[in-house]
Amino acid sequence: MAVRCRLGELFHQYVQQTRAQNSFSSVISKRLQFLQSSENLKRSSFQFPLHQSDCHAFAMAQEGQTVHGGVIATVVEDATTMHICANDVRSRKAVTTDMNLTYVGVGKVGRTLQIDTKILKIGGVLGVAEAEVTDITSGKLIAVGRHSMMFVGEDGSALKFAQSLNSVFDV
């Protein structure tokens, strides 16, 4: 019998929800891939291929088109949000209280980013995760970040939207 991964389930819901709502993250959700979680859901890995539409407006083709930092920030936020929420045993909604990123390299069109996340703390009110973003072709570190979220709402509130999708999608 296969063991169900809570993070994998949340990722599936994220993809459906972003498309149903035509949300800001819908462009990201079409390409973000959940690879795995390990160490009892304390670590996870995602990949994200970089496309021309991710470019910074001032990127010049002859310089090797670079990806806008906001795209990388959105990928990191979406991946760490799912990871933090998957670790909340009470399945509550969560809101960002703090997020920071330090860019130490550039993402280039045609490359794929690996986003490795790690849970630092899950408490009664706050969850904190770290992320490292690496270019899988070169192995170079692109960005590191930390994301803190506050759990809000009633127990099970994070599941309510997903349940409503059953009538819209074949889940």
Side-chain angles (χ1 to χ4, degrees):
M1 175 156 90
V3 176
R4 294 177 66 156
C5 172
R6 171 106 171 103
L7 184 53
E9 290 173 5
L10 279 177
F11 178 76
H12 180 71
Q13 293 169 13
Y14 154 81
V15 169
Q16 289 184 334
Q17 185 170 341
T18 58
R19 293 177 189 174
Q21 292 180 336
N22 194 23
S23 79
F24 180 77
S25 291
S26 64
V27 172
I28 303 299
S29 72
K30 291 175 185 172
R31 290 182 275 142
L32 185 63
Q33 298 173 327
F34 168 62
L35 299 178
Q36 67 178 353
S37 65
S38 60
E39 295 183 32
N40 200 23
L41 260 184
K42 297 303 179 204
R43 294 184 180 271
S44 72
S45 296
F46 297 82
Q47 285 187 352
F48 185 74
L50 299 174
H51 291 177
Q52 178 67 37
S53 61
D54 302 325
C55 279
H56 193 283
F58 301 109
M60 304 299 244
Q62 65 269 24
E63 297 169 352
Q65 293 179 307
T66 58
V67 172
H68 194 289
V71 171
I72 294 171
T74 302
V75 170
V76 167
E77 181 175 21
D78 287 357
T80 54
T81 293
M82 286 181 277
H83 197 182
I84 289 169
C85 290
N87 277 275
D88 178 32
V89 296
R90 294 172 54 191
S91 298
R92 295 166 290 175
K93 293 180 182 177
V95 295
T96 297
T97 57
D98 184 58
M99 186 172 137
N100 67 72
L101 280 169
T102 301
Y103 298 92
V104 295
V106 295
K108 296 200 175 201
V109 171
R111 302 282 180 93
T112 298
L113 300 180
Q114 172 97 13
I115 302 91
D116 293 314
T117 64
K118 175 183 169 185
I119 296 295
L120 298 179
K121 177 180 176 49
I122 298 294
V125 178
L126 292 177
V128 182
E130 277 185 341
E132 287 190 355
V133 181
T134 308
D135 178 324
I136 64 170
T137 303
S138 69
K140 290 183 179 179
L141 187 64
I142 303 298
V144 293
R146 184 171 285 177
H147 188 188
S148 300
M149 299 190 82
M150 178 175 61
F151 298 112
V152 296
E154 299 173 7
D155 290 5
S157 60
L159 304 175
K160 289 180 183 175
F161 183 85
Q163 290 167 349
S164 72
L165 287 175
N166 290 331
S167 62
V168 179
F169 296 101
D170 262 341
V171 184

